[in-house]
Amino acid sequence: MARKLDIKSAGPQTLAVHGGEKPDTTTGASSPSIVMSSTFLTDGPEEFSAYGMTEDTPYLYTRWANPTVNALEAKIAAFEGAEACQCFASGMAAASAIFLSLLKAGDHVIVADVCYAAIAELSRDILPRFGIEVSYVNLSDEDAFRSALRDTTRLVFIDTPSNPIIRLTDIRAISRLAHEAGALVAVDNTFATPVGTRPLELGADLVMHSATKYLCGHGDAMGGAVAGSKKLIQILQGDAAIHYGGVMSPFNAWLIARGAATLPIRMRAHQETALAVAKFLENHPKIERVFYPGLPSHPQYELARQQMANFSAMMSFRIRGNAKDGRALAHRLAEKLDIIHYAVSLGHHRSLLCWMQTDELLASSFRVDGKAEDSYRHFAGDGIFRFSVGLEDADDLCKDLDRAL
Ligand SMILES: *Cc1c(COP(=O)(O)O)cnc(C)c1O
């Protein structure tokens, strides 16, 4: 049963199914078992410090490493074309691992001015307490990025397509400029998924996921992951997993790996349904504007075609009217939709939709002003509906929306 998967030559669907998995040599089970054990028997005294850990260290304790979590890490590394991957308890545990393991007092970090709200708040309110300086930059504006770079810039954090306005960042261009300035680049690839975008191939150093979303795909497990070089992932494992302790449970790793096996085929179906729904919305009299990277009307459609092999199924749309009309419609949709769930989160097989009012978001999460605020409002207006198109029939989703709009 000594089977060996050639990661270099296998296609993405084969990697999704078999990546990280080995049949159980004792039982012959074809599906992976879950190893829930928190501790492991050893041959005698072992090193008790994370600093003594090497690739040959046997399993000792699940916060250090666990076979089921390791299997998911190998699958995600294969997806991203990465040397290594470290999983965490949530996407936020993965994001905070990047910031708090790679930065120190006196360092400067550039964070996308529009990104996942909790990442915006973490970097704005918590990093400065540790003496880390933070700038927020519209990373679709290369001039703005260039002028924000400092001698002390150590890290650039990209979110593309950005949550919730679906604005894209050119990963290759920003990575080149960041590297010239001596900074590392991390990309939040949650929306695009590795089926759509492969940030490491475009020059990024680290790629991060909320595995709660498309990787899991079924809305029933929280998790996070960071993939990159062995050297960087080892730092995250030592500092963040072993010492901060926000590790993924083996049960969640098992669920997420089960979902991840179908990621490539799910993403094809997600894209097909999303495109049909986006076109329906674009032609609906109550809708003013739809932002979906797969629509030629997206302001960065050319970049989307270069950078995304799959346009995923995240879109936002704006209705005709003001913020009050948007809020009223949000209430109506929550009450009237029969198929689509009015709920936060994304990347599930169920369609999820929610309203995001611009003034509220700018007061709470994104403190953009001047040109950056103009760019935000160019996309979002007074507010937008963020729509994660699921795997239902496009026709049923359109009818559900049409009835409620
Ligand atoms: C959900 C999300 C996160 C945070 O992940 P959790 O698993 O909820 O902690 C980070 N980035 C993006 C883009 C997300 O959608």
Side-chain angles (χ1 to χ4, degrees):
M1 276 197 294
R3 300 156 58 87
K4 215 162 163 30
L5 175 68
D6 183 2
I7 300 198
K8 295 243 158 49
S9 70
Q13 288 184 202
T14 306
L15 288 178
V17 174
H18 291 285
E21 294 187 5
K22 288 187 202 84
D24 187 325
T25 49
T26 48
T27 63
S30 155
S31 304
S33 309
I34 313 178
V35 178
M36 288 300 287
S37 189
S38 51
T39 193
F40 298 82
L41 275 73
T42 66
D43 291 336
E46 289 288 345
E47 179 86 52
F48 275 111
S49 161
Y51 301 120
M53 194 169 182
T54 69
E55 274 180 66
D56 301 323
T57 304
Y59 290 113
L60 294 171
Y61 188 58
T62 279
R63 179 159 41 74
W64 285 39
N66 170 281
T68 308
V69 180
N70 277 174
L72 174 63
E73 287 165 347
K75 202 186 276 296
I76 296 173
F79 273 138
E80 293 287 0
E83 273 178 8
C85 170
Q86 174 68 45
C87 280
F88 293 95
S90 68
M92 281 313 297
S96 55
I98 293 174
F99 292 121
L100 296 172
S101 307
L102 300 179
L103 298 171
K104 60 180 188 320
D107 286 349
H108 174 238
V109 53
I110 295 178
V111 178
D113 65 345
V114 180
C115 59
Y116 188 70
I119 292 175
E121 292 167 12
L122 161 78
S123 54
R124 184 190 68 213
D125 298 333
I126 299 176
L127 296 187
R129 283 193 224 150
F130 296 96
I132 297 162
E133 293 178 39
V134 189
S135 302
Y136 297 93
V137 178
N138 170 3
L139 295 177
S140 69
D141 180 344
E142 277 173 43
D143 290 335
F145 176 62
R146 236 185 243 109
S147 44
L149 284 164
R150 301 181 194 167
D151 293 342
T152 52
T153 308
R154 293 284 168 267
L155 180 69
V156 179
F157 191 90
I158 297 174
D159 184 354
T160 181
S162 70
N163 177 62
I165 58 175
I166 320 293
R167 189 177 65 197
L168 273 57
T169 291
D170 185 337
I171 296 171
R172 196 189 291 280
I174 294 295
S175 297
R176 189 166 31 80
L177 292 170
H179 289 156
E180 278 167 22
L184 292 170
V185 174
V187 176
D188 186 338
N189 204 25
T190 302
F191 273 34
T193 84
V195 176
T197 303
R198 308 248 300 185
L200 301 179
E201 283 169 14
L202 297 169
D205 302 285
L206 289 169
V207 52
M208 181 221 111
H209 283 278
S210 165
T212 315
K213 315 294 170 54
Y214 286 106
L215 290 180
C216 172
H218 298 78
D220 49 14
M222 297 207 68
V226 185
S229 67
K230 265 188 196 160
K231 191 171 149 235
L232 288 174
I233 297 303
Q234 223 161 26
I235 296 173
L236 295 190
Q237 184 191 23
D239 282 15
I242 297 178
H243 289 140
Y244 308 155
V247 293
M248 180 182 278
S249 117
F251 185 61
N252 280 21
W254 184 84
L255 279 170
I256 293 167
R258 186 170 128 139
T262 55
L263 182 72
I265 57 165
R266 277 190 286 114
M267 293 317 294
R268 277 211 297 277
H270 270 301
Q271 171 178 256
E272 187 185 317
T273 309
L275 188 61
V277 173
K279 285 179 179 161
F280 162 80
L281 286 170
E282 200 163 46
N283 290 311
H284 196 284
K286 291 230 172 104
I287 305 296
E288 183 173 83
R289 190 78 205 260
V290 181
F291 293 96
Y292 177 61
L295 282 181
S297 61
H298 190 284
Q300 296 160 298
Y301 183 56
E302 272 317 306
L303 174 60
R305 291 213 309 186
Q306 280 168 35
Q307 190 165 278
M308 303 181 80
N310 172 291
F311 297 122
S312 192
M314 290 305 301
M315 67 182 69
S316 55
F317 63 87
R318 225 158 67 195
I319 59 159
R320 295 187 198 285
N322 57 26
K324 230 173 109 219
D325 301 318
R327 180 165 284 276
L329 178 61
H331 282 292
R332 198 157 78 241
L333 291 176
E335 196 191 306
K336 288 199 163 174
L337 289 170
D338 290 325
I339 295 172
I340 301 163
H341 287 188
Y342 188 94
V344 297
S345 201
L346 57 110
H348 304 176
H349 54 336
R350 298 176 194 87
S351 290
L352 307 171
L353 174 150
C354 65
W355 161 249
M356 296 191 158
Q357 191 159 323
T358 298
D359 286 339
E360 282 176 14
L361 260 183
L362 296 194
S364 61
S365 305
F366 310 130
R367 303 273 166 82
V368 289
D369 52 22
K371 256 176 77 184
E373 180 173 351
D374 293 344
S375 175
Y376 187 92
R377 289 186 186 276
H378 172 73
F379 281 81
D382 284 349
I384 45 169
F385 287 90
R386 188 183 74 184
F387 190 9
S388 170
V389 178
L391 295 172
E392 303 92 338
D393 290 291
D395 215 31
D396 290 332
L397 296 177
C398 295
K399 280 187 200 143
D400 202 27
L401 285 164
D402 204 27
R403 207 168 32 232
L405 273 169

